[in-house]
Amino acid sequence: MTESTYRIQGATGEWEVVIGLEVHAQVTSNAKLFSGAATAFGAEPNTQVSLVDAAMPGMLPVPNRECIRQAVRTGMAIDAQINKWSRFDRKNYFYADLPQGYQISQLYHPIVGEGQIEIVLDEKNPETSTKVIGVERIHVEQDAGKLMHDQHPTSSYIDLNRSGVALMEIVSKPDMRSPAEAGAYLSKLRTILRYVGSCDGNMDQGSMRADVNVSVRKPGEEFGTRTETKNVNSVRFVMAVVEHEASRQVDVLEAGGKIVQETRLYDPDRNETRSMRSKEDAHDYRYFPDPDLLPLELDDAFLEACRQSLPELPDAKRKRYEQDLGLSAYNAATLTADADTARWFEALLAEAARIQKKSEGEVAKASANWLLSELYGALNRIGKSLEDSPVSPEEGAELLALVADGTISGTIAKQVFEIMLETGEGAAKIVEEKGLKQTSDTGAIEAAVAKVLADNQDKVAQYKGGKEALFGFFVGQTMKAMQGKANPQVVNEAVKKGLA
Ligand code: ADP
Ligand code: MG
């Protein structure tokens, strides 16, 4: 456990920042929370709207089992209490994007209670930089429609495609103390949602957005009054909001002013927050239980099925990669940071172990290093992601096997990989056709060493005079003469022998 030491230097001394995030995550589901209308992103306006979503009189909501299931699975993934009895409430307010005149949400009895999310602030030193952030609750609610003000000079339009889409609102405790902690929490939450498959986590498409609650206090004092900055849609922006809003509050307080509890908006272009409205209290919304819906009651079989359907989660996977596969903390963290990378790595690992007839632990380090340096480097260069990598895990494993059994050297493997990327051909075929096999032919190697030593008699003299670092030079020159195709071990031996 670590205590954050992030402080803002004010004229009156140091200030501590207190942060709580409310994250809205769109539930992955083909249909809406209470209707059968579709939820695909980017559809033509108003093509995914049922009579329920348009709030036609007399329409009745019917809960979508899949949305409930996803919320429960998410709760389980953060070790949270699952409430077998929960209830929907109406949150009443008027706005043009809300045809019902109320949002169906869960105020008093949310489906998921307290849970927790572990964040790591320095992936190279997880032992000393891990912190647990409390989650207060997760409830399920409807999204609203979208107003479009910029289509026509004198009219505004409304798109109800989002109206009624299921959201999970994931409310953290005010446990974060720095921009970095807020950023790490949001990234980790997104990783978990993607592993679970309950939200695609695509913040740029609005699938996940955060309301950022920030207050400041002198260390050791009571919590200060907070402001809430709405709908922040990237990890970077959340960190910027915390930083900006905290120093704005310090300025106000040090000038003798007061922080008012209010809702603010973030403007990324100017990197500032602006006041939107004073904050409403729950009673302003006249919450009451929705009379159209029965309470939700979950039975044990349903809960058990939810639990069974969870994949291995990121923390467990990271620990397994470190402990069972012997990977470094940093590599384990990088490979498990998203579900797709972990899946790719595990396919590579399984295939590498299979062809080399070794255990996964024995091939893990080489596989991880190759993926994280060679493959990532190449993908970066050609602007592709792992998903559309031109080289498959099976093809990568074939290349790794050729290095492992000594058919090619590491240097040649890099060349072979380049050719694989360009031509799409398999490693073994390329090695065969281009004659890249590594040689352990002692005679040829010793001849090359003899020539290198003869050509560099001055250096040989220096070596013999005590400049031992030159050994590497002779090895390098011999390798070069052999066009990288000599077995490094045999070369080492031959150089030793030549210099003796
Ligand atoms: P509301 O329902 O009015 O938005 P909550 O008590 O549910 O209020 O809290 C909303 C969010 O604000 C939570 O994420 C919580 O952690 C955070 N929060 C509460 N008090 C503070 C504070 N003093 N400073 C920063 N964040 C806070
Ligand atoms: Mg709130």
Side-chain angles (χ1 to χ4, degrees):
M1 252 335 220
T2 48
E3 268 314 304
S4 170
T5 52
Y6 181 84
R7 295 284 184 272
I8 294 177
Q9 270 309 331
T12 61
E14 290 192 330
W15 295 81
E16 185 180 42
V17 189
V18 174
I19 308 142
L21 297 185
E22 294 164 277
V23 174
H24 285 95
Q26 180 177 332
V27 176
T28 301
S29 150
N30 294 327
K32 295 184 180 178
L33 181 54
F34 298 116
S35 87
T39 58
F41 177 78
E44 279 289 297
N46 297 311
T47 53
Q48 301 182 153
V49 187
S50 76
L51 297 172
V52 175
D53 312 318
M56 291 297 151
M59 292 297 111
L60 285 176
V62 178
N64 176 345
R65 183 187 174 91
E66 177 60 11
C67 298
I68 304 305
R69 193 179 82 90
Q70 292 290 29
V72 169
R73 295 174 73 245
T74 306
M76 289 173 167
I78 61 164
D79 240 337
Q81 183 195 326
I82 309 298
N83 295 323
K84 291 173 81 174
W85 192 98
S86 66
R87 195 182 66 192
F88 288 105
D89 302 302
R90 287 188 183 178
K91 179 183 186 181
N92 299 281
Y93 66 95
F94 173 81
Y95 203 62
D97 64 8
L98 187 76
Q100 284 174 159
Y102 57 85
Q103 176 194 34
I104 305 179
S105 180
Q106 296 189 305
L107 178 68
Y108 301 105
H109 297 282
I111 189 163
V112 175
E114 290 189 359
Q116 55 185 37
I117 292 178
E118 201 178 282
I119 58 171
V120 177
L121 295 161
D122 174 6
E123 298 291 11
K124 290 203 164 94
N125 298 295
E127 311 79 26
T128 55
S129 72
T130 297
K131 181 170 173 179
V132 175
I133 307 297
V135 170
E136 187 70 46
R137 57 192 272 152
I138 302 178
H139 63 258
V140 178
E141 64 185 24
Q142 300 174 301
D143 204 350
K146 191 171 98 188
L147 288 172
M148 299 151 86
H149 298 297
D150 47 2
Q151 315 286 307
H152 185 276
T154 57
S155 312
S156 281
Y157 294 85
I158 179 140
D159 174 8
L160 292 180
N161 281 352
R162 290 191 75 102
S163 171
V165 162
L167 303 177
M168 293 179 279
E169 181 169 337
I170 303 154
V171 183
S172 87
K173 298 198 173 177
D175 285 353
M176 289 157 271
R177 295 288 178 272
S178 69
E181 289 184 12
Y185 170 83
L186 190 58
S187 309
K188 185 61 179 284
L189 175 58
R190 182 175 54 188
T191 297
I192 293 170
L193 294 173
R194 284 178 167 162
Y195 265 73
V196 170
S198 57
C199 168
D200 65 28
N202 295 336
M203 298 192 78
D204 51 345
Q205 297 181 354
S207 299
M208 219 180 131
R209 40 205 207 259
D211 298 346
V212 186
N213 295 272
V214 177
S215 65
V216 297
R217 64 172 175 185
K218 289 284 173 67
E221 286 183 359
E222 298 281 292
F223 282 166
T225 303
R226 72 188 144 109
T227 63
E228 178 182 22
T229 302
K230 283 279 190 199
N231 288 328
V232 184
N233 67 355
S234 81
V235 171
R236 196 160 55 85
F237 289 164
V238 164
M239 294 169 70
V241 164
V242 171
E243 210 170 306
H244 170 273
E245 185 54 21
S247 60
R248 187 191 68 83
Q249 291 181 12
V250 167
D251 289 347
V252 169
L253 292 170
E254 294 202 325
K258 270 199 161 145
I259 301 302
V260 278
Q261 190 167 330
E262 64 181 354
T263 300
R264 299 179 71 88
L265 268 188
Y266 177 61
D267 179 347
D269 296 330
R270 297 195 191 173
N271 188 27
E272 64 179 27
T273 63
R274 282 197 295 275
S275 180
M276 194 161 93
R277 56 171 193 253
S278 68
K279 167 114 180 122
E280 307 78 5
D281 286 315
H283 63 250
D284 296 324
Y285 291 111
R286 295 287 185 273
Y287 278 96
F288 64 87
D290 192 309
D292 286 343
L293 288 158
L294 288 170
L296 273 179
E297 292 187 55
L298 310 177
D299 62 32
D300 291 334
F302 178 79
L303 294 181
E304 187 48 31
C306 287
R307 202 173 290 284
Q308 291 298 329
S309 74
L310 286 177
E312 182 183 33
L313 292 163
D315 288 343
K317 209 185 258 305
R318 180 163 50 86
K319 280 176 197 133
R320 179 167 67 82
Y321 282 13
E322 271 190 74
Q323 283 161 16
D324 298 359
L325 299 180
L327 298 184
S328 69
Y330 186 77
N331 282 358
T334 312
L335 289 168
T336 54
D338 74 68
D340 288 336
T341 306
R343 207 170 299 126
W344 211 99
F345 174 65
E346 287 176 18
L348 174 69
L349 202 59
E351 183 65 6
R354 192 186 65 79
I355 25 187
Q356 294 178 43
K357 297 192 174 63
K358 287 184 184 158
S359 72
E360 293 196 346
E362 287 169 305
V363 297
K365 266 190 198 144
S367 303
N369 288 338
W370 177 77
L371 195 165
L372 293 174
S373 53
E374 301 302 318
L375 182 59
Y376 267 19
L379 293 173
N380 250 336
R381 219 169 45 219
I382 58 179
K384 289 198 169 169
S385 69
L386 201 53
E387 260 160 86
D388 41 37
S389 162
V391 172
S392 69
E394 291 72 24
E395 290 164 336
E398 184 186 327
L399 176 65
L400 288 173
L402 293 174
V403 179
D405 71 7
T407 307
I408 56 174
S409 66
T411 321
I412 292 293
K414 288 185 208 288
Q415 288 178 33
V416 173
F417 181 49
E418 286 306 318
I419 302 171
M420 287 166 70
L421 287 168
E422 273 164 33
T423 63
E425 279 176 358
K429 184 160 176 244
I430 294 168
V431 169
E432 194 56 52
E433 278 177 1
K434 305 239 178 226
L436 294 171
K437 265 194 190 146
Q438 172 170 281
T439 176
S440 301
D441 177 344
T442 320
I445 293 173
E446 283 179 353
V449 170
K451 180 155 192 312
V452 167
L453 298 184
D455 290 349
N456 296 283
Q457 284 179 13
D458 50 336
K459 294 210 168 64
V460 173
Q462 287 171 26
Y463 177 85
K464 289 190 169 153
K467 211 170 164 195
E468 283 177 16
L470 281 169
F471 189 83
F473 167 81
F474 301 123
V475 170
Q477 290 299 306
T478 308
M479 270 300 197
K480 206 164 151 193
M482 300 291 298
Q483 292 162 316
K485 286 185 279 184
N487 180 328
Q489 234 167 317
V490 180
V491 172
N492 261 297
E493 290 304 316
V495 171
K496 245 182 246 168
K497 202 165 139 193
L499 288 167

